[in-house]
Structures are given as C-alpha cells and as structure tokens.
Amino acid sequence: MPATPSVKNPPEERLVNLVVALMATEQGLTKDTILGNVSGYREQAEAGASKDALEKMFERDKESLRGLGVPIETIGDWADPDDLREARYRVPTAEYELPDDITFTPAELALLNLAGGVWSESSLSEDARTGLRKIRALGIAVDEPIIGFSPRISVTDPAFPALQQAIEKSRVVRFTYLKPGESGARVRRIRPLALVEYEARWHVFGFDLDMQADRTFLLSRIVGDVETTRESFDPALREGAGERGLAGLEELAARSIALLEVNPGTEASLRLSRRATPADQGIHVPYVDVHVFADELASYGPEVRVVEPADLRDQVIARLRAARDLNGGAA
C-alpha cells in the first residue's frame, strides 16, 4: 500500500492558521472549506493526501486546540442539530471579550500596551492571509481586522536556533566571537543558560568555561556556526538565568549614560525618549555597548547630537564620516 503523500508543514503553524480562520467569521466554516483553504491542510490536499487522512488531522487539531483552552464551537443543522455532516466550526470571539466591570488604571494600560507591542496584525503569515482571501471569495463573511497570533519579534541572528536547542538540551557550545577593536575573533566555550532580549537585540547568557565566570554575548557578533558539543551540564543551572542575564545588562547600562540633544518630533526623539530621562541640556539615555549604540545614533543622522561621553561621540562621528565618504563626499 503506497504511503500517503505529505509535505513539510510545522503543526504549530497549521494550528495558528486554523485558529485565525475560525476566529475570522461569525457564521463558522465547514470542514470542507477548512481543508481546502486553510494553510497546512491545503498543501497536504494538493500533495495528494486522502480526505480521510485530512479529516483525521483536523479532528486531532481540534482536540489539541481545545486542550490548550481554545473554545471551538460546532454548529449543526438548525433542523437537525445532531446531523454534523455539514457542521460549521468557529471560535466565538465573545469568549475573549473582557467583562464590562473590568477597568484599568493609566499605569496598567501603559503596561498592557507595552506587552502588546510585540503583537501585530502584520504578524499574520502570508499563508494565513491567502487562506482568508479564499474563504472570503467563497462568499463567507470574514471579520476584520484580524490580530496576528505570532509575536512581532525578529530573530534574524543565525546563532539563535542552535543556542536555543543547546539550552534546552543543557549542552556546552563553542563559537567564534568577534568584538569591535580586537584584531581577530576568539573561540568561546560556554554553558548557555538563557537567551535574553535587551534593547531589541538578542544576547546569550552563560558560564564561560575558559574564563570561569558568567558572561553575556551579543548574538550578532558570533562569527560562523555554533557548535554544540557532547558535554552536558546540570539543567538546574538554567533556573533564574534569564533574570540574572537581564539584571547584568541593566546594571551595565546604568553605568553607561549618554547625554544627547535630540530634535523634537523626529524619529530619534520618538525612539530614544522611551528609555530616556530628562536632563538640563537634553536627555540622558543608558546603553550597554558603545559600538552598538553608536550604530543606532548614527542612523538618525542630524536628528541627534552626542554631548557626552567623548568616546561615544567619536564613534558616531566616525560612522557619519564613513557614510559621507561612501556617498562620494556629499555633505
């Protein structure tokens, strides 16, 4: 008996697309509509998977989502509710609405807005959007806007997946690390304990086996591939590592404060003011790495001027001059 054709499709992505589709319409979607239009099922159908196999996949997915607390509602024939041959499925959005008697203080709203900042409608995958367009083309009403279910966190550092797996497996890693100002890259061997996001950049916090001390490394400075070794360590070492790594970065930033003059109403003002405190001459902004912060400040061009410290100002000026020279010496 030939094997059922299949295509690679992460189950978690299929589940997300299914939830999006089921939340998109009040009247619900039939099983045939879901299997033919929702990404994850559609590709399997196009690859030749049998309808029976797809229906079993759908049933398992429904149970998985319900186990995660997603309320999937089944709507049968109004004349015969027990007849589920043409049943429609939906996730009632009312299940996610807050009661009228719940209110928030301005501080609580600010915190919620900050937490919600990593979510975005634009996070909805293109495959999910394609499925919704097809559903809409069938004449089925689709409510908008639809909030994406994927965090808007960009993980573009190639080292991230390997480090994440090594942390989960409690395995020592080896990588080549290049720091600005050094003549060459150095090999580092660490017990990776946590991945920490700070100032929109990812760091790995761990125990440096050669230095015999905790260290934090910026992922964008890892050169080449991360090698996961056979050497393991006690998983208990990971407990609280994320908090320790973040505290170390915050402590470092507290010792490095820049005094900046920023043009009001500019992009620089909007971005820097989020982490700044007022100063007599401008604003004070803490930073962790002088080279990384100089890159950011130089990208704002004439919108910001570094008053102090001098080494940060010099780094920004060097980048602006390099950009000028690259563009033929234009001012």
Side-chain angles (χ1 to χ4, degrees):
M1 181 177 179
T4 301
S6 63
V7 294
K8 291 184 178 180
N9 187 273
E12 60 272 15
E13 181 178 324
R14 185 179 67 248
L15 291 175
V16 168
N17 291 334
L18 177 58
V19 173
V20 170
L22 295 181
M23 288 188 69
T25 175
E26 282 295 322
Q27 71 185 69
L29 303 174
T30 66
K31 187 183 299 183
D32 287 343
T33 299
I34 293 169
L35 299 182
N37 295 279
V38 174
S39 178
Y41 304 100
R42 186 182 67 247
E43 290 84 351
Q44 297 287 353
E46 292 172 349
S50 68
K51 185 176 181 181
D52 181 65
L54 290 174
E55 288 181 348
K56 289 180 180 179
M57 179 188 292
F58 173 66
E59 293 300 325
R60 287 196 301 269
D61 288 348
K62 279 197 305 174
E63 292 308 310
S64 296
L65 289 175
R66 284 170 174 156
L68 293 171
V70 178
I72 298 178
E73 187 177 37
T74 303
I75 306 172
D77 189 332
W78 67 272
D80 185 4
D82 294 329
D83 184 0
L84 300 180
R85 288 176 297 180
E86 290 299 320
R88 288 172 287 116
Y89 303 89
R90 68 174 184 176
V91 173
T93 55
E95 295 286 342
Y96 297 96
E97 294 178 354
L98 291 172
D100 294 335
D101 58 351
I102 291 182
T103 59
F104 296 100
T105 67
E108 290 169 335
L109 287 174
L111 183 60
L112 288 170
N113 283 329
L114 180 63
V118 299
W119 300 89
S120 169
E121 182 179 345
S122 62
S123 66
L124 191 59
S125 71
E126 182 57 33
D127 283 337
R129 292 180 185 276
T130 299
L132 291 176
R133 284 196 295 269
K134 290 188 175 185
I135 291 170
R136 189 183 292 110
L138 297 174
I140 299 174
V142 175
D143 299 332
E144 294 185 275
I146 298 167
I147 299 175
F149 289 82
S150 176
R152 183 168 49 85
I153 299 176
S154 177
V155 183
T156 58
D157 298 295
F160 190 98
L163 289 169
Q164 185 179 42
Q165 292 179 11
I167 291 171
E168 293 173 353
K169 296 178 180 179
S170 301
R171 301 281 287 276
V172 170
V173 298
R174 184 185 294 112
F175 54 80
T176 306
Y177 194 73
L178 180 61
K179 292 181 64 175
E182 293 188 351
S183 57
R186 296 170 54 192
V187 176
R188 304 294 184 118
R189 194 167 60 95
I190 72 167
R191 296 171 183 153
L193 303 178
L195 286 163
V196 181
E197 191 269 343
Y198 189 76
E199 293 182 349
R201 297 173 183 86
W202 285 97
H203 306 72
V204 59
F205 172 75
F207 185 79
D208 190 315
L209 293 170
D210 297 320
M211 301 298 294
Q212 287 294 297
D214 289 341
R215 289 289 186 270
T216 302
F217 301 91
L218 187 63
L219 263 59
S220 61
R221 290 188 180 147
I222 294 178
V223 181
D225 297 332
V226 174
E227 177 189 352
T228 302
T229 71
R230 294 176 179 269
E231 184 179 353
S232 60
F233 57 87
D234 186 353
L237 296 174
R238 302 186 315 226
E239 296 179 7
E243 291 79 1
R244 297 200 307 274
L246 186 59
L249 290 170
E250 291 175 341
E251 181 181 346
L252 182 60
R255 297 199 301 265
S256 303
I257 306 292
L259 177 60
L260 309 175
E261 291 181 342
V262 184
N263 294 344
T266 61
E267 179 189 4
S269 176
L270 292 173
R271 292 183 179 276
L272 294 171
S273 63
R274 297 174 184 174
R275 57 185 194 269
T277 55
D280 293 338
Q281 190 176 347
I283 57 174
H284 281 133
V285 181
Y287 62 93
V288 170
D289 186 292
V290 64
H291 300 280
V292 171
F293 195 40
D295 288 340
E296 178 185 356
L297 296 179
S299 71
Y300 299 132
E303 297 177 1
V304 60
R305 186 176 74 88
V306 180
V307 179
E308 57 184 36
D311 62 336
L312 176 61
R313 181 172 62 246
D314 293 343
Q315 291 285 346
V316 173
I317 291 173
R319 284 159 173 75
L320 293 174
R321 285 175 174 165
R324 178 200 61 191
D325 296 341
L326 188 63
N327 287 279

